[in-house]
Amino acid sequence: KTNLIVNYLPQNMTQEELKSLFGSIGEIESCKLVRDKITGQSLGYGFVNYADPKDAEKAINTLNGLRLQTKTIKVSYARPSSASIRDANLYVSGLPKTMTQKELEQLFSQYGRIITSRILVDQVTGVSRGVGFIRFDKRIEAEEAIKGLNGQKPPGATEPITVKFANNPSQKTNQAILSQLYHSPNRRYPAPLAQQAQRFRFPPMTIDGMTSLAGINIPGHAGTGWCIFVYNLAPDADESILWQMFGPFGAVTNVKVIRDFNTNKCKGFGFVTMTNYDEAAMAIASLNGYRLGDRVLQVSFKTNKTHK
């Protein structure tokens, strides 16, 4: 009972600042701010391990709910990793635009202990996009929440909501395949790759597990990010829609709507480039099947087979 997890930290808070804040309560054995492996950016949470369980308890009582900048931090006991707690993260769509994060938590808290929650908002207007994530303490609680709430209308809603696991199993397999490709001693891929930047990570699979060498022969995209293909956009769709949809998931470097040369109307598809693989994969898992107006979008990593 000495190890704490701290959620909802401000983006610019450093490990040193985290350490001095929690060190004011008592002696700390270790402190770690979790950062993105590639970009080094803070992921907004960290772990603090005290020498004395009493100090850990005191830190929860003193610092949980503390406001730092625009955030309210959450301090709780960290749990040892085990199968029963893995994959307890839910993706929720079709939420009423007026629903707050607190109301979202109230709706789901009947099924178990919520670790974190968030509602995605339009970065320009600050209005909810009707999409959120809920991470439960245990997978069984998440399963119960899906049974109880998927297809139901929450109070004040006119439409039923969709509740499903955030990371679908096929992505797991992709991650496994990817890590094998990274770490296999005899990397088998065409020569040109070897001459590309050292940072170049092995191209992703499309979400359904099809292998593809996306990004190798797209001029200008080789080492600079992950190209995402967005299909079934309306004729009046423009770049700002793509920025708004993908921006909340992470760093977007480029968006492009493909237009008809004569009418200047969108031809139904576009491309988004994101710097970080995990953020791109999360955006795809979340936005594929997303209803935009009266259309259902298809979102996947760009493969060589899709429209040039």
Side-chain angles (χ1 to χ4, degrees):
K1 290 274 183 184
T2 57
N3 197 17
L4 303 181
I5 182 167
V6 188
N7 281 303
Y8 304 120
L9 292 168
Q11 199 60 49
N12 56 5
M13 188 170 190
T14 65
Q15 184 161 302
E16 285 310 307
E17 289 167 334
L18 180 67
K19 194 172 180 179
S20 72
L21 173 65
F22 281 81
S24 65
I25 304 285
E27 187 194 338
I28 292 177
E29 294 261 303
S30 64
C31 164
K32 180 175 171 32
L33 178 69
V34 181
R35 294 182 178 278
D36 182 290
K37 289 188 180 66
I38 305 295
T39 64
Q41 279 178 317
S42 162
L43 293 178
Y45 71 101
F47 296 93
V48 176
N49 196 7
Y50 282 98
D52 185 340
K54 286 197 192 68
D55 289 332
E57 188 182 354
K58 187 175 165 196
I60 292 176
N61 294 335
T62 314
L63 299 174
N64 183 39
L66 178 73
R67 280 191 74 75
L68 293 175
Q69 297 170 30
T70 58
K71 304 276 191 180
T72 303
I73 67 169
K74 186 168 180 176
V75 185
S76 50
Y77 288 112
R79 301 151 307 142
S81 179
S82 76
S84 68
I85 65 173
R86 236 171 267 136
D87 305 328
N89 194 19
L90 295 181
Y91 165 78
V92 189
S93 60
L95 294 168
K97 300 277 197 271
T98 52
M99 184 179 261
T100 63
Q101 186 175 326
K102 195 171 179 188
E103 290 167 337
L104 179 69
E105 286 207 0
Q106 280 167 350
L107 178 66
F108 278 83
S109 60
Q110 57 187 320
Y111 296 99
R113 191 163 86 89
I114 293 170
I115 301 297
T116 58
S117 70
R118 70 185 181 119
I119 286 181
L120 298 186
V121 295
D122 181 311
Q123 288 193 311
V124 181
T125 62
V127 175
S128 161
R129 297 211 357 253
V131 174
F133 292 94
I134 292 272
R135 186 181 292 280
F136 276 103
D137 188 28
K138 297 192 172 63
R139 181 169 174 102
I140 191 155
E141 296 168 338
E143 284 167 359
E144 289 301 317
I146 292 178
K147 275 186 217 149
L149 291 173
N150 185 38
Q152 299 297 315
K153 286 186 193 173
T158 49
E159 297 292 313
I161 59 172
T162 301
V163 184
K164 57 185 185 181
F165 283 111
N167 24 10
N168 49 10
S170 66
Q171 246 175 287
K172 286 266 163 331
T173 359
N174 293 346
Q175 289 290 342
I177 297 169
L178 269 174
S179 58
Q180 281 175 352
L181 290 167
Y182 283 144
H183 304 305
S184 66
N186 50 349
R187 295 183 169 187
R188 296 178 297 276
Y189 39 57
L193 258 181
Q195 287 120 44
Q196 300 200 8
Q198 256 57 57
R199 282 288 295 284
F200 187 90
R201 300 169 70 194
F202 200 90
M205 313 301 146
T206 52
I207 286 292
D208 59 10
M210 294 278 296
T211 312
S212 80
L213 297 181
I216 289 179
N217 58 6
I218 312 170
H221 287 291
T224 55
W226 304 98
C227 193
I228 298 168
F229 177 62
V230 186
Y231 180 69
N232 207 17
L233 292 166
D236 60 356
D238 63 6
E239 274 76 5
S240 71
I241 287 177
L242 293 178
W243 285 113
Q244 286 170 30
M245 279 171 31
F246 287 82
F249 292 95
V252 175
T253 50
N254 193 15
V255 300
K256 186 171 175 55
V257 166
I258 306 301
R259 291 185 167 80
D260 184 294
F261 188 70
N262 299 317
T263 63
N264 207 32
K265 292 274 190 210
C266 170
K267 286 171 71 172
F269 60 95
F271 297 100
V272 175
T273 309
M274 294 183 71
T275 31
N276 178 306
Y277 172 75
D278 293 324
E279 289 170 351
M282 183 51 112
I284 289 171
S286 306
L287 293 172
N288 185 36
Y290 181 76
R291 184 175 278 284
L292 185 65
D294 55 357
R295 290 162 173 261
V296 175
L297 299 182
Q298 291 175 30
V299 183
S300 62
F301 280 115
K302 179 188 180 301
T303 66
N304 298 344
K305 293 188 291 294
T306 47
H307 304 74
K308 288 285 179 284

